[in-house]
Amino acid sequence: MSKWIIGLFLSYLSLCTGLALAEESLIAPEQYQAALQFHQQYGEKGDLERFDKKTPAAQAVLLGSTLALRGGDRALGARFLLDALKHPEQLNQFDIGYTNNLLGGMYQNDGELDKAATFFQHARSADYTDACSNLGVVREEQNNYILARLTYLDCLKRSPTALAYLNLGTLYFNGLGVAKDPQKGGHYWSKSFEKFAYDPDTNYNLGIYHLRHTRHFENARYHLSLALALGDADVLPKLAERSVIGIYSDSIFAAQLRLAPDTNRRRWIIQDRLRYTLEERYLDHTDEQGMTFTLSENAKEIQLTAQGQSDDQIEQAVIRMLWLIYVDRLSPISLDLQRMVDELINNKKTSLVRHGWRHLARISAEGELLYSASMD
């Protein structure tokens, strides 16, 4: 073992002497060395740069969390985390909350729900926002729906999150631990959507709520279409129901971009759609298929460049631009898609005007696909 690793370990060991971790023996030097090397390989860059400046307990949090979250020895990671919590004076409030929340999740995954609840409670006491909703989920897994509802209500008082609203709405909608109240369930789901619009469960639930209860079929179509774009294939039978056939949301999604109140808001919507509905794509980043999305300065024109001109590459590029703007994948844009692809393959250029957006695409002499969509 090198001298610098020994020095770090002795510093850490001085913190731990005489302590047993969950009735386990002390972390051995070779275990510490293995954890440190794993952290150096898989840890976040900023954490690596600041590691030596942190207290021994904070170092234990970094080592334990890297092991637990990056595919390392989870049991050893838990021991580092438990060890760190024995010295709260060396941790800030965020680290205390984070560590308790992480341990709660680990015990939850292992089915040890009582232990998970205890750690989530400690994390909640440290004002770690996610812990409150996580505690509610554990109460549901324990089939204690009354306590789960009370926990979620407490979450809304502390720091409302999309997950707390979503799960509370589900309890009311299904009558779990409380009198069945679909209207209140829909209310809480709507609040969840306001907090975060790109959760497939929230959108599926709202789609069903409007389909079955409010009978607002346009709203049902909107949320079901978004749920499908977010990867929830279970919505397909719902989109085939007679009440929503012939109702499309493509114009609504297109209008959200056109009517955005300012450039920053429009850019934010586009970035979120790229990330959540188009499989983790980002502006100004070339993906594995050689496609790059960029925006004009005022965010009123979206550009897409793509290398190569195989039929499949052309089709994938057109699909992504249309899905980015119109989202509703089962709307009439599917007909536009086929026409545009055929024209690009055969004529090297195509165009479309649909719901206030003008599309122009061509294949350059160098074989690059150049596609722009601008507000008409």
Side-chain angles (χ1 to χ4, degrees):
M1 189 187 303
S2 65
K3 289 183 179 180
W4 69 275
I5 289 180
I6 292 175
L8 283 173
F9 176 72
L10 290 176
S11 172
Y12 176 74
L13 188 62
S14 67
L15 164 74
C16 308
T17 302
L19 296 176
L21 302 179
E23 302 181 353
E24 299 280 346
S25 59
L26 286 172
I27 295 172
E30 61 270 17
Q31 291 175 315
Y32 181 85
Q33 181 181 12
L36 185 61
Q37 290 174 342
F38 188 86
H39 178 65
Q40 290 169 341
Q41 184 175 0
Y42 297 106
E44 296 290 340
K45 181 180 179 181
D47 292 336
L48 294 173
E49 293 173 347
R50 295 187 293 269
F51 187 85
D52 292 343
K53 299 178 182 179
K54 290 185 174 291
T55 65
Q59 290 177 353
V61 171
L62 290 177
L63 296 177
S65 60
T66 302
L67 286 167
L69 298 175
R70 297 300 178 90
D73 186 335
R74 290 179 71 253
L76 181 59
R79 289 174 58 192
F80 274 105
L81 296 172
L82 289 165
D83 198 9
L85 289 176
K86 291 180 180 293
H87 300 273
E89 73 282 356
Q90 295 196 18
L91 299 172
N92 59 39
Q93 186 173 359
F94 175 85
D95 284 339
I96 292 172
Y98 169 82
T99 304
N100 276 288
N101 187 71
L102 180 54
L103 282 164
M106 294 170 72
Y107 281 118
Q108 182 183 13
N109 289 337
D110 291 340
E112 298 188 57
L113 298 182
D114 289 339
K115 288 184 178 180
T118 297
F119 282 104
F120 284 140
Q121 286 172 325
H122 291 325
R124 182 178 63 174
S125 296
D127 293 328
Y128 193 82
T129 301
D130 291 345
C132 191
S133 296
N134 291 340
L135 178 60
V137 172
V138 168
R139 297 308 187 197
E140 289 193 63
E141 292 178 351
Q142 293 173 320
N143 295 319
N144 192 338
Y145 297 112
I146 293 176
L147 188 54
R149 181 175 65 86
L150 294 175
T151 300
Y152 293 134
L153 288 171
D154 178 60
C155 297
L156 300 187
K157 294 177 182 178
R158 292 171 177 268
S159 182
T161 64
L163 181 60
Y165 279 124
L166 170 63
N167 291 353
L168 185 60
T170 301
L171 294 180
Y172 275 102
F173 189 85
N174 293 315
L176 297 171
V178 68
K180 190 171 184 178
D181 190 339
Q183 185 174 359
K184 184 170 285 189
H187 166 74
Y188 283 124
W189 288 338
S190 295
K191 299 291 286 185
S192 179
F193 180 80
E194 291 174 9
K195 284 284 184 180
F196 180 63
Y198 296 94
D199 181 82
D201 293 334
T202 300
N203 281 284
Y204 179 87
N205 291 350
L206 282 169
I208 298 302
Y209 171 65
H210 289 301
L211 195 64
R212 300 281 185 262
H213 294 277
T214 69
R215 312 289 289 176
H216 292 162
F217 298 127
E218 293 81 4
N219 290 345
R221 176 75 191 207
Y222 175 90
H223 288 292
L224 293 174
S225 296
L226 185 50
L228 179 63
L230 294 167
D232 188 348
D234 291 339
V235 306
L236 285 171
K238 309 302 178 185
L239 286 168
E241 292 193 13
R242 181 177 300 177
S243 55
V244 293
I245 290 178
I247 298 174
Y248 304 111
S249 300
D250 50 346
S251 62
I252 297 174
F253 287 109
Q256 286 178 338
L257 293 176
R258 287 191 299 102
L259 302 178
D262 53 53
T263 298
N264 288 335
R265 175 63 179 172
R266 188 177 303 109
R267 180 180 295 273
W268 182 76
I269 295 172
I270 292 170
Q271 289 181 146
D272 275 351
R273 288 188 187 177
L274 281 169
R275 179 179 180 184
Y276 296 111
T277 71
L278 290 182
E279 302 172 348
E280 293 285 338
R281 283 174 169 77
Y282 299 91
L283 287 170
D284 304 313
H285 173 77
T286 303
D287 64 22
E288 68 282 356
Q289 294 179 310
M291 300 183 194
T292 308
F293 283 94
T294 56
L295 276 181
S296 62
E297 187 174 347
N298 62 6
K300 292 184 177 181
E301 181 178 359
I302 307 169
Q303 299 98 24
L304 169 61
T305 59
Q307 303 297 324
Q309 51 177 317
S310 71
D311 292 358
D312 181 65
Q313 289 171 312
I314 291 172
E315 182 177 33
Q316 290 302 311
V318 176
I319 284 174
R320 278 158 178 73
M321 182 67 89
L322 295 180
W323 283 0
L324 172 62
I325 295 173
Y326 302 109
V327 181
D328 189 342
R329 300 179 178 187
L330 302 181
S331 70
I333 65 164
S334 59
L335 301 177
D336 296 323
L337 164 65
Q338 191 57 58
R339 177 187 62 78
M340 293 177 72
V341 170
D342 289 343
E343 289 180 355
L344 276 171
I345 292 172
N346 297 320
N347 304 325
K348 308 301 182 185
K349 63 180 180 179
T350 189
S351 63
L352 169 72
V353 176
R354 172 75 71 178
H355 301 313
W357 285 85
R358 181 179 298 276
H359 302 251
L360 296 172
R362 65 183 178 88
I363 297 175
S364 70
E366 294 76 24
E368 187 177 34
L369 175 62
L370 306 174
Y371 189 158
S372 67
S374 56
M375 294 167 56
D376 193 22

